[in-house]
Structures are given as C-alpha cells and as structure tokens.
Amino acid sequence: MPFGLLKYGLSRRYPEPRRIPPTPDLKPSYDVVIVGGGGHGLAAAYYLSHVHGIRNVAVLEKGYLASGNTARNTTIIRANYLTPEGVRFYGESVALYKELSETLDFNIMYSERGHLTLAHTDASVRTMRWRAEVNTHCGVRSELIWPDEIRRLCPSMNLSDKARYPVLAALLHPPGAIARHDAVAWGYAIRAAERGVEIHQQTEVTGLRIEGDRVVGVETNRGFVGAGKVLQAVAGSSTRLADMAGLRLPIRTVPLQACVSQPLKRFLDPIVVSGSLHVYISQSARGELVMGGSTDPYALYSSRSTLDFKEGLLAHMLELFPFLAEVKLLRQWAGMADMTPDFSPIMGLTPLANYYIDAGWGTWGFKATPVCGKRMAETIATGRAPDILDAFRLSRFAEFQQVGERGAAAVGH
Ligand code: FAD
Ligand code: PYC
C-alpha cells in the first residue's frame, strides 16, 4: 500500500490536501463566466488562466464537477474524420491529448490502442478509402487494411465469410486512443484553480440578463452574477441555455447509452467499431469491455437505461466476438447527445457580442476537449474565432455550409 495512503488513512493530523479549494462565496462579477463544469468548460478555464492570463473566471456547474457527459462517455479519441475541416480540428486535439499528462502534470492514463472501423459492404469500403485519403492528405495516419491484417491486430474477432455481415476491410487509424475521462476533467480543474479560477458546484444558471446586444450577467440559484463575457459549455442542455440567450440552435437531443462488462484478461488491443452492426468496443486498463452502439431513436431529455438497447447491442456484439456469450454486464448508463444536422459541433461567436458558444457535441465531444478548451479560450480572449473554428460557426446552417461528418460517426443513428 502506498505510504501516503496509509499516513492519511491512519492520522487526523495529515488531512489529504484539497486539490480544488472549497467553493467560496460567489463574487458580484467576473471577467468570464463559464456555464458548465464538464471537460470543455474546465479546459476553457485552464487555457484562459494559463495561456491568456485571464484569471478572474468562474465555472458554474449545476451538479458536481464533470457529472454530465464527461462522466458518461466511452473515451474514444481519434482524428479519422471525413472532411478536411474535421480531420484538422480533431487532429489538433489528438496532438494535445498525447501531451496532456505532461502539460497538466496529472496522469490522464492516455492509452494509444489503434482504432479499427470495420467495413461490411462495398459502399463502406469506399467510404473507408475516402477517409484514408482525406486523413493522409491532412497528415493524420489512417489506411485501409484487409482481413489478414485485421486478424493479426485482433485475433479474437469473428472473420468468417459465413457471418451474417462478413468483415471485408477496415479503416486502421493507429493514433486512436482512450483515456481516463474524470482525470481529464480533474486535471484541468486543479490546474485552473491553482491560477485563481473559481469552480462553483451546485450552482445552476437559470437565466441570462441581456441589455442591448450584450449579456451583462447570469441568474443562478445562488443569485445574480455579473459577467464581462459568458461561455456556454453545457453539452446535452445546449438548447435550453441558448434559449435563455434568445438563440435558436439546430439541435435535437437524444439519449446515448453505453455499458461495461466484468473485467476480463486483456484480449483486445484496438478499439473496434462496426457501423453496420451498430456496435463499438474497447477494453479498459481494468480489463472491462466498454461498449456502445446507437443513439436511442427518439428525442428525449433522459439518462435512463433500457433493456432494448442492451439486447440489441449484445446480440450484435456476439456476431463479432461469439466467445463473449457468458460474460456478465456490470453497469449500463446513458447521457444526452445534442445532435446537429451535419454531425459537427457549433463553436465560436454568437449574435450577442460577448456570448460564446461551445455546443452540438452529440456523440463525439470527449475527444475534442483539449482543442475546444484551447480554441474557445483564444476566441474569448481575443474576441475573434481562430481559423480552425471557422467551419463550425453557428451561421453555417443559414449559409448552407455544413460540415458533413455523419459518415465518420462511430455511433449508429
Ligand atoms: P458535459 O460533460 O456534459 O458538461 C456540461 C455540464 O454542464 C454538465 O456537467 C451539466 O451538469 C452542466 N450544466 C448543464 N446545464 C447547466 C446550467 N443551466 N447551469 C450550470 N451547469 C449546467 N465523445 C467522444 O469523443 N468519444 C466517445 O467515446 C464518446 N462516447 C460517448 C458515450 C456516451 C454514452 C455519451 C452520452 C457521450 C459520448 N461522447 C463521446 C460524447 C461526449 O461525452 C460529450 O460530447 C462530451 O463529454 C461533452 O463534454 P462537455 O464538457 O461539453 O459536456
Ligand atoms: O466519436 O469515436 C466516437 C465515439 C465512439 C463512441 C461514441 N463516440
């Protein structure tokens, strides 16, 4: 047992230091108020305080830190998207993730596994080839591989040509990775708090006070707080908050479920995704199989679990890994996914002069936590969205300039 644990466990004289200071009273106002204490809001607070020297910042979180989708996601990190805009954006995030444990001096348990997207039809072989070409063009490693190579990387997969949907090929993306989701949020939170950022949990934003084309502050369950600038980073509640700002977002909110199995001896190195079978799977450092499939087929604000999801997912999973038949599930849960029409996020400026948006993260936002934090902080600090965010501006829908990423979604829809 580590000495520190024994020392703190046995003695009242050595209380473990609180790495995030206890919540102070709210100040009358802050230079920047960030609504949402998930990975994105905390990362933005970190980059504001560390890169831009903006420390008079409050993160307001209605529940506890990272209790939203940051706590519920399956932590797949990759950059093998379909559009050049998407590949460059997520590519920057993967690069930041690789260094994040060192940047934060906090172990996020980043584990590069390789990511395999299976193709079961000629049409999906074509899409995988297309993605490989775009990825390579943008400097991201991806290639099309065939069953012999898939068998070498994943010997336990059923590659029989007698399967209902035989595996024809796969897109191999070697940088595909997983990480510890709460460590990402806590790492950003601890380092931001060290620079003076205040993190207020149990503090719900219930309204925005707007004068002319500016937000002057936020109403909360603890009273009014003035704000020089406001960032909304509330994932599954994006339309609710945007509504308070008088903004209409092209977003539909649907539940996304996932589950984990009992721990097993390590047998699965890569992350495996099959769009045709509506399944994805990875094996965590603890040996648990982390699995998911499709979003629920109806709009709903709910994080309940359903038997229907579990039955459908596991039936399909057994087509790929029949030997898992007797394995027990440990947990099942859900989060709320804010789906945009083009399966890309909405980031940057809004019609309100000092109100910034980070939304539309659907089923794909954990992997974007570092780039989003860094680039949204830059947008807030300079009042100008950097080029890398331009394609994701809110106005793109009115301009018919969508960034279509449906073909690169790991989750079925
Ligand atoms: P959150 O972590 O949800 O943070 C938003 C916070 O805002 C919440 O804590 C919430 O309590 C708070 N909030 C809301 N309203 C208010 C208010 N009015 N006042 C104050 N606080 C408020 N993405 C990937 O890249 N890879 C994956 O493998 C992946 N798997 C997923 C699996 C599942 C089951 C789900 C549900 C999602 C998955 N995602 C994945 C998507 C990913 O989880 C999200 O896009 C990402 O976590 C969004 O981060 P965030 O910080 O924006 O949101
Ligand atoms: O975006 O890679 C992804 C993903 C996998 C599962 C949910 N989202």
Side-chain angles (χ1 to χ4, degrees):
M1 181 186 291
F3 179 65
L5 194 61
L6 200 62
K7 190 172 81 172
Y8 293 129
L10 295 179
S11 170
R12 282 173 186 277
R13 290 178 52 223
Y14 297 104
E16 192 180 3
R18 292 190 72 161
R19 308 192 76 178
I20 299 177
T23 312
D25 287 339
L26 283 163
K27 288 198 248 177
S29 72
Y30 296 87
D31 292 341
V32 180
V33 166
I34 297 175
V35 190
H40 285 220
L42 294 165
Y46 168 84
Y47 292 105
L48 276 172
S49 57
H50 280 256
V51 177
H52 302 282
I54 301 176
R55 300 174 178 210
N56 185 20
V57 176
V59 178
L60 309 184
E61 165 54 49
K62 76 174 177 187
Y64 58 90
L65 217 60
S67 53
N69 282 354
T70 299
R72 295 158 195 274
N73 80 94
T74 45
T75 81
I76 296 172
I77 297 165
R78 61 187 175 91
N80 57 356
Y81 276 77
L82 191 56
T83 66
E85 295 85 353
V87 176
R88 289 195 189 105
F89 175 74
Y90 293 105
E92 180 168 311
S93 212
V94 172
L96 288 166
Y97 254 126
K98 281 189 180 189
E99 305 296 321
L100 198 56
S101 293
E102 274 189 42
T103 307
L104 298 175
D105 192 17
F106 193 85
N107 188 0
I108 65 155
M109 295 177 70
Y110 191 77
S111 174
E112 198 170 271
R113 297 294 186 83
H115 185 281
L116 283 179
T117 314
L118 305 180
H120 303 260
T121 63
D122 289 344
S124 54
V125 172
R126 179 177 164 276
T127 307
M128 299 314 151
R129 184 171 279 131
W130 178 1
R131 282 169 69 180
E133 290 291 330
V134 175
N135 287 193
T136 307
H137 182 72
C138 296
V140 164
R141 282 189 300 148
S142 288
E143 61 179 299
L144 197 62
I145 60 168
W146 306 99
D148 281 352
E149 179 66 357
I150 301 172
R151 184 171 292 111
R152 196 185 67 72
L153 293 170
C154 198
S156 51
M157 190 190 299
N158 176 14
L159 289 168
S160 161
D161 57 8
K162 306 283 182 304
R164 188 163 64 108
Y165 294 116
V167 176
L168 303 183
L171 180 71
L172 168 65
H173 175 52
I178 52 176
R180 183 80 204 145
H181 46 77
D182 33 29
V184 172
W186 278 82
Y188 277 125
I190 288 166
R191 299 300 170 225
E194 283 172 0
R195 289 282 166 110
V197 169
E198 291 183 8
I199 298 168
H200 294 273
Q201 304 181 65
Q202 307 291 325
T203 307
E204 179 169 6
V205 171
T206 52
L208 299 176
R209 200 177 289 177
I210 297 171
E211 288 177 10
D213 71 343
R214 301 184 72 80
V215 180
V216 293
V218 299
E219 309 285 354
T220 79
N221 57 342
R222 296 170 62 203
F224 175 78
V225 183
K229 297 182 175 184
V230 176
L231 168 66
Q232 85 155 67
V234 295
S237 303
S238 297
T239 48
R240 292 174 167 183
L241 211 79
D243 197 42
M244 297 176 199
L247 301 175
R248 279 191 67 214
L249 302 181
I251 280 179
R252 191 172 160 267
T253 303
V254 297
L256 177 64
Q257 304 190 48
C259 56
V260 293
S261 74
Q262 66 184 97
L264 301 175
K265 198 165 156 52
R266 177 85 168 256
F267 73 92
L268 185 65
D269 213 31
I271 302 152
V272 177
V273 178
S274 165
S276 303
L277 291 175
H278 290 227
V279 296
Y280 68 86
I281 180 167
S282 68
Q283 191 167 21
S284 75
R286 278 199 293 244
E288 296 166 341
L289 300 176
V290 182
M291 298 174 281
S294 303
T295 50
D296 288 354
Y298 32 74
L300 192 67
Y301 283 107
S302 169
S303 53
R304 86 276 178 271
S305 300
T306 66
L307 180 62
D308 191 46
F309 163 80
K310 189 161 50 184
E311 283 184 338
L313 174 74
L314 299 180
H316 288 135
M317 196 63 81
L318 292 181
E319 294 190 34
L320 279 184
F321 298 103
F323 72 98
L324 294 178
E326 298 300 322
V327 171
K328 304 279 181 285
L329 280 194
L330 282 191
R331 296 188 300 282
Q332 185 185 351
W333 67 91
M336 292 181 302
D338 271 359
M339 304 301 301
T340 51
D342 58 0
F343 291 59
S344 282
I346 300 172
M347 283 177 287
L349 311 175
T350 71
L352 290 170
N354 58 345
Y355 191 75
Y356 302 88
I357 190 161
D358 172 31
W361 283 109
T363 66
W364 48 81
F366 177 72
K367 70 177 74 60
T369 306
V371 68
C372 220
K374 179 178 166 193
R375 297 305 194 161
M376 285 309 304
E378 187 180 340
T379 307
I380 294 166
T382 62
R384 194 187 148 269
D387 290 348
I388 197 165
L389 296 194
D390 185 52
F392 306 110
R393 65 195 179 279
L394 174 59
S395 62
R396 74 177 183 274
F397 299 101
E399 297 157 1
F400 298 103
Q401 297 285 335
Q402 302 198 18
V403 188
E405 288 291 3
R406 185 175 189 150
V411 170
H413 297 275

